[in-house]
Amino acid sequence: MMDTPWQERRHGEDKHRRNDHRSAFQRDRARILHSAAFRRLQAKTQVLGVGMNDFYRTRLTHSLEVSQIGTGIAAQLKRKHPDKEALMDSMSLIESLCLAHDIGHPPFGHGGEVALNYMMRDHGGFEGNGQTFRILTKLEPYTPGFGMNLCRRTLLGILKYPQLASALHQLAPRPAVPHYRQLRPGDWTPVKAVFDDDREMLDWVLAPLTNPDRDRFTQFSAPNERHGKTRFKSLDATIMELADDIAYAVHDLEDAIVMGIVSREQWLADVAPVLNQSKDSWIQAELGAIDNRLFAKEHHLRKDAIGTLVNGFVTAINLIEDESFSEPLLRHNAVLQADFAEALVALKGFVYRHVIRKPEVQMLEYKGQQMVMQLFEAFASDPERLLPLNTRTRWQEAAELGQNPMRIIADYISGMTDEFAVRMHHQLFSPRLGGLGDLGQDF
């Protein structure tokens, strides 16, 4: 294990736990698992509108599946690259990243994210990955002011976009929105970055890097009509991101099949041609005709097909080296072989077109988007009157210190579960009078 600055924590700890022989990354994993932010994922749906029974996936079950896939990828890489085992000797680290990767996502999926980004348009914007970093480093009350106080390497691994939002934000004028009911999500795509409010923690995470490594690692495409985009990720982040992509493409597909949202005919028209025309013989042979099992009435055949898909992608990942970096964690990246990457793109596109873009799903997303904007507008209109006590105190402190008090409102709303946001909206806007106990305690 790399006993280096990467195992340091921002806030020094002097914990003397009885017979505690866990590694630093095992402690990180425990802190994430036991956090309130992680528990709330059980009440945030992975795909809005498919939750009519107890089968569908939530953000929590999705994160558990990403964790399982992530450790599978790491195990494969250790076998393929035994000389690099020192880089990947902690499964707890990979589990931590995969379990934590979604905890910053707000209620109502992409609709909630766009809504908060629009309401925060003059206050630094909003984006789910940036909020994840903020929860881990500042908001989760494991420490007073340092969040979960995770290891530097864990935080480096969660950084999918290692740059500040202000550097990536495009300055081109956006279409005027006469009323937020007319807000089009495509016009208000969030900047994928760390919030400027969290600059200090980003600087701390990147502190061990040499100046050339840091300059290159934080490079990005220049913003024009779209936001700028960072170019590089650490080794751990690439493993986590691949696991997330595989889980999204395969397991959300499984939900859609079971719910009857997608059909075998759509698969044969959209995905099968890509698989059958692949240059990889295994993809042609094993995946080209997988629809026979994937859409079978027998559950065990479908599960076998899902396992085949996951195994195919996990075993097609290798390490590459970028010699322009001196830091090993940046020098190495996990990448999916080209033919399998093409197949994964086909699966993700299929889920996006036939599930995410389904009108019924988009209507629910729009409804959630409207609720989030109305909640934000209400709290921002009179924070000292409407915010719960703990959040009001944080808002007042931010205002007094000349910080960004609107970020506190975004923190509060983004932390809500779908159901809590619905109840809060009902409490504020329904003609029916609510009681003091309708919402439960402040969080």
Side-chain angles (χ1 to χ4, degrees), residues 1-2 5-8 25 28 86-90 93-94 97 150-158 204-205 234-236 329:
M1 186 171 292
M2 302 176 68
W6 296 113
Q7 285 195 27
E8 291 177 356
F25 300 125
D28 283 357
L87 285 171
M88 298 175 289
D89 68 340
S90 176
L93 168 65
I94 300 301
L97 302 179
L150 304 179
C151 291
R152 186 185 262 116
R153 180 171 175 179
T154 305
L155 296 175
L156 179 72
I158 211 73
W204 180 81
V205 172
S234 70
L235 166 63
D236 305 322
L329 293 177

Side-chain angles (χ1 to χ4, degrees), residues 138-208:
K138 187 173 292 185
L139 300 182
E140 185 65 29
Y142 186 87
T143 61
F146 295 97
M148 297 187 201
N149 199 32
L150 304 179
C151 291
R152 186 185 262 116
R153 180 171 175 179
T154 305
L155 296 175
L156 179 72
I158 211 73
L159 275 174
K160 290 174 66 174
Y161 311 104
Q163 185 52 272
L164 294 174
S166 58
L168 306 181
H169 187 268
Q170 63 96 352
L171 299 177
R174 304 192 192 192
V177 182
H179 189 277
Y180 53 61
R181 290 199 189 278
Q182 300 173 34
L183 181 72
R184 295 170 62 91
D187 294 333
W188 292 91
T189 304
V191 183
K192 294 183 180 298
V194 174
F195 304 137
D196 283 50
D197 298 312
D198 302 316
R199 178 194 299 266
E200 180 185 351
M201 277 307 302
L202 176 62
D203 288 341
W204 180 81
V205 172
L206 303 183

Side-chain angles (χ1 to χ4, degrees), residues 24-274:
F25 300 125
Q26 286 174 323
R27 290 188 176 94
D28 283 357
R29 178 181 178 274
R31 292 178 189 189
I32 292 164
L33 274 173
H34 294 292
S35 68
F38 182 73
R39 289 195 299 276
R40 288 190 195 109
L41 295 177
Q42 68 187 307
K44 295 187 180 185
T45 50
Q46 177 68 1
V47 178
L48 294 177
V50 299
M52 298 305 292
N53 61 34
D54 60 3
F55 175 88
Y56 73 102
R57 287 173 166 85
T58 66
R59 290 273 184 186
L60 182 102
T61 56
H62 166 74
S63 298
L64 293 172
E65 288 170 337
V66 173
S67 177
Q68 186 272 325
I69 293 171
T71 55
I73 293 171
Q76 285 288 330
L77 291 176
K78 287 173 69 173
R79 292 189 184 95
K80 290 181 179 180
H81 306 275
D83 58 319
K84 307 295 183 184
E85 185 170 357
L87 285 171
M88 298 175 289
D89 68 340
S90 176
M91 290 299 177
S92 294
L93 168 65
I94 300 301
E95 284 186 278
S96 296
L97 302 179
C98 295
L99 292 171
H101 81 282
D102 258 359
I103 63 173
H105 283 267
F108 311 120
H110 183 62
E113 184 179 46
V114 168
L116 282 174
N117 185 49
Y118 175 72
M119 301 306 285
M120 289 288 290
R121 62 193 180 278
D122 297 323
H123 308 285
F126 180 88
E127 193 267 334
N129 295 286
Q131 189 68 16
T132 292
F133 184 75
R134 183 170 171 81
I135 289 170
L136 296 178
T137 60
K138 187 173 292 185
L139 300 182
E140 185 65 29
Y142 186 87
T143 61
F146 295 97
M148 297 187 201
N149 199 32
L150 304 179
C151 291
R152 186 185 262 116
R153 180 171 175 179
T154 305
L155 296 175
L156 179 72
I158 211 73
L159 275 174
K160 290 174 66 174
Y161 311 104
Q163 185 52 272
L164 294 174
S166 58
L168 306 181
H169 187 268
Q170 63 96 352
L171 299 177
R174 304 192 192 192
V177 182
H179 189 277
Y180 53 61
R181 290 199 189 278
Q182 300 173 34
L183 181 72
R184 295 170 62 91
D187 294 333
W188 292 91
T189 304
V191 183
K192 294 183 180 298
V194 174
F195 304 137
D196 283 50
D197 298 312
D198 302 316
R199 178 194 299 266
E200 180 185 351
M201 277 307 302
L202 176 62
D203 288 341
W204 180 81
V205 172
L206 303 183
L209 300 179
T210 64
N211 288 336
D213 272 2
R214 174 167 178 158
D215 289 344
R216 182 165 175 77
F217 186 55
T218 56
Q219 283 181 3
F220 55 90
S221 61
N224 41 49
E225 293 183 359
R226 290 185 175 273
H227 302 305
K229 186 175 181 180
T230 56
R231 298 177 54 202
F232 300 103
K233 295 177 177 63
S234 70
L235 166 63
D236 305 322
T238 58
I239 294 174
M240 176 263 286
E241 187 171 48
L242 284 169
D244 188 23
D245 284 349
I246 293 168
Y248 165 77
V250 177
H251 292 308
D252 286 4
L253 169 66
E254 182 183 14
D255 275 1
I257 291 171
V258 172
M259 301 299 174
I261 296 174
V262 296
S263 67
R264 185 176 184 181
E265 289 70 30
Q266 290 170 323
W267 172 276
L268 292 174
D270 278 21
V271 184
V274 177

Side-chain angles (χ1 to χ4, degrees), residues 325-339:
F325 287 111
S326 60
E327 167 56 54
L329 293 177
L330 307 187
R331 188 183 184 96
H332 300 85
N333 271 189
V335 296
L336 190 59
Q337 294 172 22
D339 295 324

